[in-house]
């Protein structure tokens, strides 16, 4: 097998890339957790608790030829990666896909997913007991969560609080279409900034106060403020810089430093794509070719650089039946297409196939 590659991080980009390279390179995937956690299914799990286990995929069967090393990377250089326990892993190509941190109910903290399970189930119980839920955040997470709660629990009052228009950064008509549908579902939309977030990671008891003096009389407040890039491993690399949103600045070939064989991808890297599953998925195909180029001893700069989505796609279901999406070429689509592509099964068949679980 030609050449060694180390991929740090078994999230959406890391897992798919490891699988794609498994037959053509000596692949080592470094991942601190035993289980991959699928965020869209965890959002729905707040109102359908059986989705907690559906969202979990063990890494055991991901690779046929390579290996998954359970551990946390402490440092990286042009020759490989050193783990926190002192283990040294050498390779000719290295991909850093360290991902991002999120609310405790939707992404695990540390090396165990047990805390995630407990946090998600506890949030679901709190939502079930609540009279009025305020969701803070007008990004995809907040919009999906508000839609899931209203679709599954029509007797629960839901207020979605957004500092600006919904889904800023995407075509304005996507946010407008989702606003109309949330209102049809019976959710209230409030534009303003919260000033008393007791926590930005965990739900807490209301009320919620806004900076303009308004008070939302919710008995449960759920922060849904998006992801924080995890660039800790990259901080010591020569030439490393951060973008304004905290991601690793990369060159045209996804390299975040002066090392020609170290790539960065996914949520932690600024490669022109948004921090979404579909947004980052485009990177896997390019990285597969790039790693093969490096392993063959060729100069990566003689090949075409990476080009991000011209029109970033985004799929936003509001429960299993409703939603809107922006798709490549097609543009804005409504309930039927959103339901068919994501809302109905949340990409679960894709990840069952990737992790060989049936």
């Amino acid at each position: 097998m030609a050449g060694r590659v180390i991929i740090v991080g078994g999230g959406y980009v890391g897992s798919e890339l490891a699988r794609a390279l498994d037959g053509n390179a000596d692949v080592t995937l470094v991942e601190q957790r035993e289980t991959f956690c699928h965020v869209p299914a965890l959002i729905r799990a707040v109102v359908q608790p059986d989705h907690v286990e559906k969202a979990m995929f063990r890494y055991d069967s991901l690779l046929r030829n390579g290996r998954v090393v359970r551990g946390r990377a402490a440092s990286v250089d042009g020759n490989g990666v050193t783990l926190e326990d002192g283990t040294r892993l050498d390779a000719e190509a290295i991909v850093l896909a360290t991902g991002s941190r999120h609310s405790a109910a939707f992404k695990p903290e540390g090396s165990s997913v047990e805390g995630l399970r407990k946090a998600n189930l506890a949030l679901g119980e709190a939502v079930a007991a609540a009279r009025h839920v305020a969701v803070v955040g007008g990004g995809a997470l907040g919009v999906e969560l508000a839609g899931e709660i209203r679709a599954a629990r029509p007797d629960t009052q839901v207020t979605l609080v957004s500092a600006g228009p919904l889904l800023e950064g995407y075509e304005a008509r996507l946010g407008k279409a989702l606003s109309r549908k949330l209102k049809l579902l019976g959710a209230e939309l409030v534009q303003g900034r919260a000033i008393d977030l007791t926590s930005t990671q965990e739900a807490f008891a209301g009320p919620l106060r806004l900076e303009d003096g308004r008070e939302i009389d919710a008995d449960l407040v759920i922060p849904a403020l998006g992801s924080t890039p995890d660039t800790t491993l990259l901080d010591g690399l020569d030439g490393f810089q951060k973008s304004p949103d905290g991601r690793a600045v990369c060159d045209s070939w996804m390299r975040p430093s002066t090392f020609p064989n170290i790539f960065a991808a996914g949520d932690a890297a600024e490669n022109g794509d948004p921090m979404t599953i579909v947004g980052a998925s485009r990177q896997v195909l390019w990285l597969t070719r790039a790693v093969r180029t490096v392993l063959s001893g060729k100069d990566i700069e003689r090949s075409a650089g990476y080009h991000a989505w011209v029109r970033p796609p985004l799929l936003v279901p509001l429960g299993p039946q409703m939603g809107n999406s922006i798709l490549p070429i097609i543009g804005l689509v409504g309930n039927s297409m959103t339901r068919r592509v994501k809302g109905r099964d949340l990409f679960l068949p894709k990840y069952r196939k990737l992790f060989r679980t049936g």
Side-chain angles (χ1 to χ4, degrees):
M1 190 170 296
R4 298 167 296 177
V5 57
I6 295 171
I7 301 167
V8 180
Y12 291 100
V13 171
S15 291
E16 287 195 49
L17 181 62
R19 177 76 180 267
L21 291 168
D22 193 35
N24 305 101
D26 183 356
V27 177
T28 298
L29 175 63
V30 177
E31 170 54 50
Q32 61 176 319
R33 304 179 186 105
E34 75 278 7
T35 305
F36 173 93
C37 302
H38 182 44
V39 176
L42 289 165
I43 296 173
R44 185 161 293 170
V46 171
V47 293
Q48 295 186 27
D50 64 310
H51 273 62
V52 172
E53 295 309 317
K54 290 180 181 180
M56 306 287 184
F57 299 91
R58 292 187 64 84
Y59 289 100
D60 304 25
S61 301
L62 175 65
L63 302 179
R64 294 286 197 222
N65 304 300
R67 68 208 58 80
V68 178
V69 174
R70 185 141 177 235
R72 185 173 178 84
S75 64
V76 59
D77 57 52
N79 296 313
V81 172
T82 301
L83 306 186
E84 285 185 342
D85 65 3
T87 301
R88 177 68 185 179
L89 303 171
D90 293 323
E92 289 74 47
I94 301 153
V95 180
L96 306 178
T98 50
S100 58
R101 296 182 294 275
H102 220 318
S103 166
F106 304 113
K107 278 195 176 182
E109 284 289 335
S111 59
S112 173
V113 300
E114 191 53 37
L116 170 65
R117 282 190 175 95
K118 291 179 179 177
N120 192 280
L121 291 170
L123 180 59
E125 291 172 0
V127 167
R131 166 190 55 85
H132 182 180
V133 177
V135 178
V136 182
L141 174 62
V143 173
E144 283 193 43
L145 182 59
E148 291 285 354
I149 295 171
R150 276 302 301 176
R153 301 190 179 281
D155 294 332
T156 301
Q157 184 179 351
V158 175
T159 300
L160 177 61
V161 181
S162 175
L166 300 187
L167 283 309
E168 281 193 288
Y170 291 87
E171 294 182 27
R173 55 184 183 151
L174 174 62
K176 291 176 181 177
L178 288 164
S179 295
R180 290 192 294 268
K181 287 184 179 172
L182 281 168
K183 291 174 182 176
L184 282 174
L185 280 170
E188 179 187 8
L189 272 62
V190 173
Q191 191 166 320
R193 294 186 182 277
I195 61 171
D196 64 345
L197 284 179
T198 302
S199 169
T200 59
Q201 297 294 317
E202 297 179 356
F204 58 92
L208 178 70
R209 294 177 181 83
L210 306 183
E211 65 180 5
D212 60 6
R214 285 177 292 174
E215 182 175 283
I216 297 172
D217 185 28
D219 46 342
L220 181 67
V221 179
I222 307 176
L225 300 174
S227 301
T228 302
D230 185 357
T231 61
T232 305
L233 185 62
L234 293 85
D235 288 344
L237 290 175
D238 185 44
F240 171 73
Q241 294 181 347
K242 285 186 181 181
S243 65
D245 64 355
R247 304 170 84 183
V249 175
C250 296
D251 68 9
S252 297
W253 294 274
M254 286 195 190
R255 298 177 301 189
S257 69
T258 58
F259 290 106
N261 62 331
I262 296 180
F263 303 92
D267 283 358
E270 177 50 77
N271 287 309
D273 294 313
M275 293 170 66
T276 64
I277 299 169
V278 178
S281 65
R282 179 184 180 87
Q283 299 175 14
V284 174
L285 182 60
W286 187 91
L287 276 167
T288 302
R289 292 196 297 264
V291 169
R292 288 172 179 165
T293 297
V294 170
L295 294 182
S296 69
K298 297 178 182 177
D299 182 359
I300 187 69
E301 294 189 20
R302 291 182 175 273
S303 62
Y306 176 72
H307 295 285
W309 291 100
V310 175
R311 172 189 274 177
L314 187 66
L315 296 100
V316 189
L318 303 174
Q321 302 300 323
M322 296 178 66
N324 284 98
S325 302
I326 294 288
L327 299 180
I329 302 174
I330 301 174
L332 182 69
V333 298
N335 293 337
S336 177
M337 186 67 77
T338 301
R339 179 174 60 248
R340 201 177 318 153
V341 178
K342 181 181 178 184
R344 183 171 50 199
D345 58 33
L346 304 172
F347 303 134
L348 284 168
K350 171 184 175 178
Y351 292 99
R352 284 195 288 267
K353 181 178 180 181
L354 179 68
F355 290 94
R356 308 181 210 268
T357 59

